[in-house]
């Protein structure tokens, strides 16, 4: 993975011959397939991992309008019975009520333990359908069909599923690996530009964690990645391969899987304090600001050069992403509220904060025992003065 | 386990030296301790499996009145911080709403991933708190302190947790093993007689599955088991040892763990069709009727002698348990409704029913592909005629 791939290296990816990234987890191993038009062929591939299973498709109204019909046709062709549960788009569906609704609808369709929950959508649908699949009859087969960039490079791979509590994001869930992930890169063409940009933040994350070479590659090919084509497939393949390697080492996040949370401790607090209001802040934007904050806090602590932190924010800004709290419309919370929101994070241990910090681009590490008072002081400088709030 | 134990064999069980049954599941192994007054010593024992953990006690108002204060005193003594979530007694709390309530209360208490959920109560509390522990931050430590006979011999051991859906019982949950189970046999003295009898049905179940000797032992010592004392401890120990052996062989119920569902396919349908109304039918009573039905259906199919089926019902009846659908107050559902309720069972596979049937006492087996029409015909004979309903 060290040399920037030239376009010729990934020219062979086609609908019938997608890129394949195996996730190696013993008897829970599975493949992530990446390429154009995979949804049209989904029935045959699902039948291969769950022969004869009935499928409970979980999707949202926006995604359904674009992708449900071809998926259903493909399942019909493969001879798989299917039923559909449609939820409202947006983070609000990842709630206790949304969970109950999806579970009961799948039960009403008489899905059995050996049948298959098919998550067709972005991160919200994947997390919600995944937690339902983990819980229904104490565990059903799950297939992820991620249709957003964010879901393709992050949430659909690795088995984390969850819903939100009023007390914080992703606080109630399960580790439940899918049996197959089909990342149809053509489906990204239907994304709103803001959603595509949000997913791009998670792509950048893999470079920032431990792959300076990938970050440099993205600096060079960002235009092509955003424009579609083979560079996009290659960017997703590299991100998924990076995630698969971490997950294979640490499935249940007892160790360095926590690195994947770069930008997320700050980001989740930002999302919580904006009430998960997707008109103000979507998840990937929270991660973009969170990564910027993590790098600037690393500079503040004398760990990282200011040059590297500026290079990170410059790239994110060039991709159209926000990089400071002041960019969030209507922001009013203070540093204490931020600390309070972060205290509910899953990575808190015995009251002390754990952050992912960096010694430079591609040199992130898990920092335990971060002193809240130092973070508070840093955030006071970061927060926009009252008069300048967006 | 083949010879009936004489009282001298289990004379050594005391509060400081309880019976210990190990549940062997690799790195998820744990001990079940059985003996009087274990709750008063719970703090020290919890601290041993979860050093320094904060404890989120989940209990119901009835159990709290009897057992909460001594548990809290014991946690104080061990230096463990604790918080309490109290739910209403009864099956109604094992709902989506009850799950959300317990999760949010534990989150509000700032419990962290390494902290401990302590389930103090019967099967409802254990299943509900267990599913919350499985789901909160994708998995917290769980300690089961079962205070009902049913929970001590069945639901607290083996890691099955769940809530009910309006579509059926225990349909949404997780496999999540506890780190410790303390079965305080003195707590059984505070049980309502009806609750104790209901738990007795689950004790009998272990004899019926594969241990004729234990069934004979119960026929002989039933009075002593119900009266308390060492026979009761021994009966619980034998039941837990039987369950631990099955769970160690088949943690995720892909094989013969299903035997533990003897009486439960019928029983769950009965509970569902009485609206989980504990004034009409509690779980153990449903299992008692269900086991009677399973044996009579086995006779109906020519698998089992009528004599054995009569011996089963005679023993259950002597213990004060119901053995026929006609014993349920206000029963109105017909055979079709029963079949429909059973079709939602987790053991249904590709539309065909799986029952636990018997060739005799102690000779139960998993019967797949049971023909619904034959069950329907059997149930028509079992159902009370309109005029004779209780």
């Amino acid at each position: 993975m060290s040399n920037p791939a030239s376009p010729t290296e990934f020219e062979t990816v086609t609908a019938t011959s997608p890129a394949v990234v195996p996730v190696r987890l013993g008897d829970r191993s599975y493949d992530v397939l990446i390429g154009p038009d995979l949804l049209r062929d989904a029935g045959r591939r699902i039948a291969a991992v769950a022969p004869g299973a009935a499928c409970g498709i979980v999707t949202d109204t926006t995604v359904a309008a674009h992708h449900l019909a071809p998926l259903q046709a493909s399942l019909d062709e493969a001879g798989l019975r299917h039923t559909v549960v449609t939820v409202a788009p947006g983070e609000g569906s990842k709630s206790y009520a949304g969970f109950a609704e999806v579970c009961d609808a799948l039960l009403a369709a008489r899905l059995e333990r050996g049948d298959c929950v098919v998550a067709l959508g972005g991160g919200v649908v994947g997390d919600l359908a995944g937690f339902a699949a983990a819980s229904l009859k104490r565990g059903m087969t799950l297939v992820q069909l991620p249709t957003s960039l964010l879901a393709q490079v992050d949430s659909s791979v690795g088995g984390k599923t969850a819903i939100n509590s009023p007390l914080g994001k992703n606080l109630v869930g399960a580790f439940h690996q899918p049996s197959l992930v089909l990342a149809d890169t053509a489906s990204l063409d239907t994304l709103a530009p803001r959603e595509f940009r949000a997913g791009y933040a998670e792509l950048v994350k893999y470079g920032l964690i431990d792959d300076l070479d990938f970050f440099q590659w993205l600096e060079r090919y960002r235009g092509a990645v955003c424009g579609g084509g083979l560079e996009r497939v290659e960017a997703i393949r590299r991100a998924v391969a990076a995630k698969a390697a971490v997950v294979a080492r640490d499935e249940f996040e007892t160790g360095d899987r926590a690195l994947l949370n770069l930008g997320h401790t700050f980001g989740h607090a930002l999302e919580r304090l904006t009430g998960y209001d997707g008109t103000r802040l979507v998840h990937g934007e929270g991660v973009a600001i969170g990564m910027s904050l993590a790098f600037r806090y690393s500079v503040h602590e004398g760990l990282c050069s200011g040059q590297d932190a500026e290079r990170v924010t410059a790239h994110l800004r060039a991709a159209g992403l926000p990089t400071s709290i002041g960019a969030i419309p209507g922001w009013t919370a203070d540093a204490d509220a931020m600390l309070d929101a972060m205290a509910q994070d899953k990575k808190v241990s015995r009251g002390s904060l754990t952050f992912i910090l960096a010694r430079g681009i591609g040199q992130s590490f898990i920092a335990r025992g971060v002193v809240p008072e130092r973070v508070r002081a840093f955030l006071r400088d970061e927060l926009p003065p009252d008069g300048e709030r967006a």
Side-chain angles (χ1 to χ4, degrees), chain A:
Chain A
M1 290 206 19
S2 295
N3 297 315
S6 73
T8 51
E9 279 183 48
F10 40 84
E11 238 165 31
T12 53
V13 172
T14 65
T16 48
S17 153
V20 180
V21 178
V23 183
R24 299 184 205 282
L25 292 165
D27 58 6
R28 293 185 298 289
S29 296
Y30 54 94
D31 285 335
V32 182
L33 275 55
I34 305 151
D37 298 320
L38 287 173
L39 284 177
R40 289 192 209 156
D41 199 26
R44 185 176 64 82
R45 296 187 192 271
I46 293 172
V49 297
C55 293
I57 304 166
V58 181
T59 189
D60 70 34
T61 45
T62 307
V63 173
H66 292 292
H67 305 298
L68 183 58
L71 173 62
Q72 288 175 312
S74 161
L75 293 170
D76 283 337
E77 211 172 304
L80 299 182
R81 178 170 75 85
H82 50 86
T83 185
V84 184
V85 185
T86 311
V87 300
E91 202 69 31
S93 291
K94 260 178 71 174
S95 62
Y96 292 114
F99 175 67
E101 188 191 322
V102 169
C103 286
D104 284 347
L106 293 173
L107 289 169
R110 305 251 159 155
L111 289 198
E112 300 168 4
R113 208 183 244 175
D115 288 334
C116 190
V117 175
V118 177
L120 175 70
V124 165
V125 163
D127 282 3
L128 173 62
F131 186 41
S135 306
L136 280 168
K137 313 203 172 185
R138 298 195 188 94
M140 293 179 58
T141 303
L142 172 65
V143 169
Q144 293 274 11
L145 306 182
T147 58
S148 75
L149 180 57
L150 186 142
Q152 293 189 356
V153 301
D154 183 29
S155 58
S156 70
V157 177
K160 279 197 186 179
T161 72
I163 55 173
N164 303 326
S165 149
L167 287 105
K169 211 174 152 171
N170 294 335
L171 291 177
V172 178
F175 287 97
H176 187 65
Q177 299 295 340
S179 297
L180 178 68
V181 181
L182 302 179
D184 182 339
T185 51
S187 71
L188 303 182
D189 297 333
T190 62
L191 281 186
R194 185 179 178 184
E195 287 300 324
F196 187 89
R197 286 196 299 267
Y200 188 82
E202 296 276 1
L203 265 181
V204 173
K205 186 184 76 176
Y206 294 101
L208 298 183
I209 290 173
D210 66 353
D211 195 347
L212 173 60
D213 171 74
F214 185 44
F215 184 79
Q216 288 171 324
W217 188 92
L218 286 172
E219 285 183 318
R220 181 169 166 195
Y221 290 109
R222 181 178 55 76
V225 169
C226 295
L230 292 176
E231 285 85 357
R232 192 158 77 184
V233 174
E234 173 62 7
I236 296 169
R237 188 197 65 73
R238 282 183 78 154
V240 170
K243 176 147 192 182
V246 173
V247 169
R249 281 202 302 276
D250 179 21
E251 182 176 5
F252 300 110
E253 196 171 313
T254 55
D256 70 355
R257 180 163 180 172
L259 288 170
L260 297 176
N261 293 314
L262 176 63
H264 282 64
T265 302
F266 285 120
H268 282 168
L270 298 173
E271 287 185 85
R272 189 175 162 198
L273 292 172
T274 47
Y276 305 112
D277 175 354
T279 62
R280 294 171 65 197
L281 187 76
V282 297
H283 175 67
E285 291 168 348
V287 171
I289 299 173
M291 293 191 300
S292 304
L293 290 174
F295 268 78
R296 283 201 293 275
Y297 183 68
S298 299
V299 175
H300 179 266
E301 295 296 292
L303 295 161
C304 175
S305 75
Q307 212 172 3
D308 268 18
E310 279 161 33
R311 191 171 164 193
V312 171
T313 51
H315 185 67
L316 292 170
R317 220 177 291 127
L321 285 160
T323 59
S324 69
I325 299 176
I328 303 172
W331 183 267
T332 56
D334 62 11
D336 287 342
M338 278 291 286
L339 261 291
D340 203 56
M342 288 190 286
Q344 196 54 264
D345 195 88
K346 287 187 292 300
K347 290 170 290 300
V348 170
S349 177
R350 303 287 147 95
S352 89
L353 292 166
T354 297
F355 278 79
I356 313 306
L357 299 180
R359 296 198 173 82
I361 293 170
Q363 296 176 64
S364 297
F365 66 99
I366 301 169
R368 299 187 204 284
V370 171
V371 180
E373 203 35 65
R374 295 187 70 88
V375 180
R376 204 185 316 263
F378 164 73
L379 283 173
R380 281 200 192 106
D381 291 342
E382 281 285 333
L383 287 163
D386 276 344
E388 294 174 28
R389 278 171 186 156

